[in-house]
Amino acid sequence: MWLQYEPITEKKVKDQYQRVLRHVVIKEDDPIILSAKNELEIAVKEMLDYEINWAEDVQDANFVIGNKKELAGFLEEGQRCLLADLADEGFIVQTINQKSYLVGNTDAGVMYGIHHFIRLMQMKADPSQLHIADQPKNQFRMINQWDNLDGSVERGYSGKSIFYQNGKIVKDKARIHDYARYLSSIGINSICINNVNVWEEETYFITKKYLPEIKEIADIFSSYAIRLYLSINFASPITIDGLSTADPLDGEVKQWWKDKVAEIYDYIPDFGGFIVKADSEHRPGPFTYNRDHADGANMLAEVLEPYDGKVIWRCFVYNCLQDWRDRATDRARAAYDHFKPLDGRFHENVLLQIKNGPLDFQVREPVSPLLGAMSQTNQLIEFQVAQEYTGQQIDLCYLIPQWKQVLAFDTHIKGPGSTISEIVAGNIHVYKHSGIAAVSNIGNDENWTGHTLAQANLYGYGRLTWDPSLSSQQIAEEWIIQTFGNQKEVLAKIEKMLLSSWKIYENYTAPLGVGWMVTPGIHYGPNIDGYEYSRWGTYHFADREGIGVDRTIETGTGYTSQYEEPNRFIYNILSECPDELLLFFHHVPYKYTLKNGETVIQHIYNTHFKGYEQVEDLMDIWNSLEHVMDNARFKHVQDRLYRQKMNAKEWRDQINSYFYRKSGIADQYNRTIY
Ligand code: GCW
């Protein structure tokens, strides 16, 4: 991936770095520092073909690395001030009078500083005059694995789990160790290592049967400043010890969890806490006992609190058994309706984890109105790096532009400037804890992410959680240079492919924000009425007159009322609603004219013909790189693009035929519709 450390061939750059790294001093009395030092050694050896000469004393060194406590006596006033303004995980990298300093507020800060320095080296930046002060914007920067003990990965498109195999935790943990390196290099500081759907055997992860080995995994991650979390089964007391109830207000149940948590911390002193998917898609939860989510989360929070543990409670709660005749129930409303009334009831160590959109990681959705709507409840936004609905790592879909759009969305919850980015950074409401989480896209495939170019999504996710102000283009450039080198042609072409890919994917799949239309269950490939005739509550309501979901206040489900003004007005009024989300909010006739001048039906035809052609363009761009690309990666991506083309064709033809038959309105340009 991006830590492959290709040798630097430019003599000038190589010399510059060798000069900076002449005599380096670093004290390795901590596992985090040791990992960081190892990383620096590997990077320097491979990129510069050079062994670092480690100095014993700060005085003898020309590059001083350490945390601010141990270097206190050697820092200047200005450096101390800079550090004082930075968060715990922050760091500075500076050159003063021919001497370089890399100082972190904590050991984790030192490690992030070293990763930053290595990145500069990979980017071949001039190291002679460094003046960097950096810190993460978000407190929680989390990855969720949806891995199961049998080795499968729910919504995994990159082979099997790197954590589990055939019902056991893997013995050889080399890949887990490498994964920790990757994650720390992009700033991730928390990981949950099992699926939020906790099945029978995984329920026992919090018992002696598995804790010793989970501790080994926790130690690996700890040495990269990443805290380990586990997803738990809310009904654990019943399953594990035969209690008659899992009622969160029952004394025996509370005591059970108290003992359980004590046992976990015996094994893993820096254990992060629990992730809970409760009362969602048939998972057990407090509803069974007539309790609410706050009752459930708080019971766990109380027992975790003495250890500084957290409860991350997911808000993906909705009625997945909807009757199609019931037009008042709206899945999009569910998270807000369930959780907003509970604001103020959750303990300080509870964080609500909320998907970026109100439905489920579609190619285009509005931002979830629950984000920011609870001023007294810690929140984490949840993204999906795994491309469940966005091409499953067969189709190219660089998701950073999508996440940036979400983060930039202004909720107006406390007036203009109340963006999602500021909300999850804890700057709008005073959250004690907040940040960003995402479902991982890795597996045991040799290239980790199925599609090699899908590595850019994991890389970008981490970089964005650290610094949401980075542009999609900057992130793409960094990733391409680290992964493919810095040849101008390669950089320009892959960048073009990445940056256009989300829109292309949207063009040939579901139109205008209506979403879904995927094959039920597997969620790849088109099946326009697949979910229309199932009970999951994800309708498009296409008939011979028109299409879209009326979510307005006056005639629809009233979902738009969950937004603050002016968003409420913009989404609620047909003429104000942006084209890209039109069918999410309104049901309109096929001949309705969009802001871009096209009718809805003509837009459907145009985008679907265009999307397919754009995939052909992607193939042409990639093919033109054959002479500068290694054969393995060239062939691999070529093959994925071919499969993408087949998929795009299928979507184009099914969508166009479907809507032509429904509407009876022909394509203005008479292109072939089957
Ligand atoms: O996107 C849906 C997925 C489920 C997943 C669920 C969730 C882990 O299709 O596979 O279950 O969301 O987020 O809980």
Side-chain angles (χ1 to χ4, degrees):
M1 295 220 276
W2 53 88
L3 300 185
Q4 54 189 283
Y5 303 140
E6 281 299 304
I8 295 179
T9 46
E10 295 88 335
K11 184 161 179 341
K12 184 171 164 231
V13 185
K14 208 168 151 179
D15 287 350
Q16 276 179 328
Y17 276 97
Q18 287 194 357
R19 212 168 309 128
V20 172
L21 292 158
R22 229 168 28 246
H23 294 288
V24 189
V25 71
I26 184 170
K27 260 223 239 106
E28 46 178 280
D29 50 2
D30 174 280
I32 297 174
I33 297 293
L34 189 60
S35 325
K37 185 183 168 197
N38 284 342
E39 197 65 38
L40 186 63
E41 270 182 327
I42 303 174
V44 167
K45 191 160 188 309
E46 296 190 6
M47 280 193 279
L48 305 178
D49 188 23
Y50 174 72
E51 301 266 352
I52 298 178
N53 192 354
W54 298 104
E56 288 293 317
D57 294 314
V58 172
Q59 280 87 347
D60 301 337
N62 69 315
F63 193 0
V64 182
I65 304 179
N67 70 41
K68 74 165 174 214
K69 228 158 112 208
E70 66 199 19
L71 293 178
F74 304 96
L75 299 180
E76 290 177 9
E77 180 61 22
Q79 292 175 308
R80 276 198 290 270
C81 286
L82 270 179
L83 284 161
D85 282 344
L86 297 175
D88 279 355
E89 294 166 300
F91 61 85
I92 57 171
V93 189
Q94 294 184 314
T95 327
I96 301 174
N97 303 331
Q98 310 286 324
K99 201 165 170 140
S100 300
Y101 294 84
L102 191 161
V103 192
N105 271 333
T106 56
D107 289 337
V110 176
M111 185 189 68
Y112 293 129
I114 289 185
H115 282 306
H116 191 102
F117 181 80
I118 295 174
R119 189 177 311 123
L120 292 176
M121 195 148 69
Q122 291 176 295
M123 306 289 292
K124 303 179 173 92
D126 180 350
S128 55
Q129 289 305 325
L130 295 172
H131 279 286
I132 296 160
D134 200 6
Q135 63 177 343
K137 171 103 174 175
N138 292 291
Q139 185 194 4
F140 272 73
R141 305 180 302 279
M142 184 170 212
I143 273 287
N144 293 178
Q145 299 299 134
W146 283 359
D147 297 34
N148 301 313
L149 193 61
D150 65 4
S152 64
V153 179
E154 182 152 354
R155 310 306 173 186
Y157 311 106
S158 317
K160 297 274 190 188
S161 172
I162 63 161
F163 292 89
Y164 318 106
Q165 205 181 10
N166 302 328
K168 297 208 165 68
I169 295 176
V170 294
K171 286 270 164 289
D172 177 357
K173 302 200 171 44
R175 281 201 88 161
I176 298 178
H177 184 258
D178 276 340
Y179 191 37
R181 291 173 53 214
Y182 293 126
L183 294 181
S184 72
S185 77
I186 50 174
I188 299 297
N189 65 1
S190 326
I191 186 168
C192 179
I193 60 162
N194 65 318
N195 189 357
V196 290
N197 288 323
V198 183
W199 310 118
E200 177 81 21
E201 189 58 24
E202 290 86 344
T203 301
Y204 292 87
F205 274 17
I206 52 175
T207 69
K208 284 191 179 49
K209 185 169 177 194
Y210 292 102
L211 282 170
E213 265 201 284
I214 291 178
K215 180 207 165 35
E216 283 180 43
I217 300 178
D219 285 347
I220 295 175
F221 283 112
S222 285
S223 65
Y224 286 88
I226 299 169
R227 275 182 113 174
L228 181 131
Y229 289 69
L230 289 173
S231 298
I232 53 123
N233 176 347
F234 196 79
S236 293
I238 302 176
T239 314
I240 296 176
D241 276 321
L243 266 61
S244 60
T245 175
D247 179 352
L249 300 193
D250 179 279
E252 223 187 317
V253 170
K254 273 197 209 169
Q255 188 60 44
W256 187 90
W257 280 109
K258 194 169 174 204
D259 296 342
K260 188 41 73 194
V261 164
E263 189 185 344
I264 298 172
Y265 278 91
D266 262 351
Y267 284 96
I268 310 169
D270 65 344
F271 180 65
F274 297 144
I275 296 206
V276 195
K277 172 175 177 176
D279 290 313
S280 159
E281 300 185 329
H282 313 295
R283 303 315 300 150
F287 285 179
T288 313
Y289 313 99
N290 280 324
R291 313 295 183 199
D292 62 25
H293 291 285
D295 297 327
N298 288 341
M299 180 270 294
L300 295 170
E302 267 168 44
V303 295
L304 283 162
E305 206 270 334
Y307 307 91
D308 191 30
K310 311 287 182 298
V311 177
I312 298 181
W313 194 270
R314 292 179 85 237
C315 296
F316 188 57
V317 178
Y318 66 100
N319 174 7
C320 58
L321 297 172
Q322 191 181 334
D323 185 321
W324 59 273
R325 278 156 294 219
D326 164 18
R327 295 287 280 254
T329 302
D330 179 2
R331 177 171 164 181
R333 291 190 58 128
Y336 185 100
D337 285 345
H338 279 290
F339 286 92
K340 164 84 180 165
L342 301 177
D343 192 17
R345 295 243 338 263
F346 291 95
H347 284 200
E348 276 203 321
N349 58 332
V350 177
L351 295 91
L352 297 186
Q353 182 164 314
I354 304 165
K355 290 192 181 185
N356 63 266
L359 288 176
D360 195 10
F361 303 132
Q362 300 302 293
V363 66
R364 175 92 56 183
E365 281 185 54
V367 172
S368 168
L370 185 59
L371 286 159
M374 301 172 76
S375 62
Q376 298 167 72
T377 309
N378 300 319
Q379 295 191 336
L380 272 178
I381 189 173
E382 178 177 336
F383 291 123
Q384 196 184 36
V385 189
Q387 291 170 238
E388 177 176 358
Y389 297 95
T390 49
Q392 305 201 347
Q393 287 137 248
I394 296 166
D395 301 30
L396 182 63
C397 192
Y398 179 60
L399 289 164
I400 314 306
Q402 187 199 55
W403 302 332
K404 284 207 53 99
Q405 194 180 62
V406 171
L407 291 169
F409 178 74
D410 194 345
T411 65
H412 289 266
I413 232 116
K414 273 196 163 179
S418 309
T419 59
I420 298 295
S421 178
E422 293 304 322
I423 288 167
V424 298
N427 296 335
I428 301 296
H429 309 303
V430 244
Y431 292 152
K432 182 132 193 246
H433 308 289
S434 59
I436 309 186
V439 184
S440 174
N441 66 346
I442 66 114
N444 71 354
D445 274 0
E446 194 182 350
N447 69 3
W448 294 85
T449 54
H451 197 313
T452 288
L453 301 185
Q455 294 171 2
N457 284 331
L458 183 62
Y459 179 82
Y461 167 69
R463 297 289 289 134
L464 210 56
T465 58
W466 180 278
D467 181 0
S469 76
L470 292 169
S471 72
S472 301
Q473 184 174 355
Q474 264 171 301
I475 292 173
E477 281 177 11
E478 281 184 7
W479 177 77
I480 296 165
I481 292 175
Q482 291 172 68
T483 308
F484 289 100
N486 67 343
Q487 283 186 64
K488 277 217 173 63
E489 183 188 0
V490 176
L491 180 60
K493 287 182 175 171
I494 299 183
E495 188 180 310
K496 190 167 173 206
M497 291 174 72
L498 291 177
L499 292 176
S500 56
S501 59
W502 174 39
K503 186 69 200 148
I504 294 175
Y505 188 80
E506 181 179 35
N507 279 347
Y508 63 79
T509 57
L512 299 166
V514 80
W516 305 95
M517 299 191 172
V518 289
T519 311
I522 62 163
H523 298 167
Y524 188 77
N527 185 341
I528 296 142
D529 279 339
Y531 274 113
E532 201 64 14
Y533 292 92
S534 86
R535 307 175 80 178
W536 294 79
T538 48
Y539 304 106
H540 53 66
F541 298 121
D543 56 21
R544 63 182 187 176
E545 310 294 339
I547 177 178
V549 190
D550 184 352
R551 293 194 157 103
T552 64
I553 297 167
E554 295 75 14
T555 54
T557 67
Y559 167 77
T560 53
S561 70
Q562 296 181 343
Y563 291 92
E564 290 296 317
E565 295 295 5
N567 295 324
R568 184 184 305 167
F569 177 78
I570 292 171
Y571 291 148
N572 196 59
I573 306 295
L574 180 57
S575 59
E576 297 293 317
C577 187
D579 286 349
E580 61 191 26
L581 287 170
L582 189 81
L583 302 181
F584 190 95
F585 288 106
H586 300 275
H587 186 86
V588 296
Y590 292 110
K591 288 216 163 152
Y592 178 81
T593 306
L594 298 169
K595 292 201 170 48
N596 70 10
E598 297 165 347
T599 60
V600 166
I601 188 72
Q602 192 56 42
H603 178 83
I604 292 175
Y605 297 144
N606 290 351
T607 48
H608 285 79
F609 284 115
K610 183 170 171 195
Y612 175 78
E613 284 163 17
Q614 288 174 307
V615 177
E616 290 185 317
D617 295 344
L618 290 178
M619 293 178 83
D620 289 344
I621 302 178
W622 185 258
N623 286 337
S624 75
L625 287 172
E626 185 166 11
H627 67 291
V628 277
M629 189 64 60
D630 55 283
N631 199 43
R633 285 192 293 188
F634 176 75
K635 284 269 183 298
H636 159 79
V637 174
Q638 193 180 44
D639 172 62
R640 296 270 149 160
L641 287 168
Y642 178 75
R643 291 166 70 186
Q644 176 171 7
K645 184 166 96 157
M646 292 298 109
N647 189 36
K649 185 164 183 284
E650 191 70 19
W651 272 97
R652 177 196 69 187
D653 293 338
Q654 294 226 21
I655 294 271
N656 286 344
S657 304
Y658 179 97
F659 286 103
Y660 182 31
R661 287 188 63 170
K662 277 266 145 133
S663 69
I665 304 167
D667 170 35
Q668 203 179 313
Y669 305 108
N670 279 322
R671 290 164 288 194
T672 308
I673 292 179
Y674 295 97

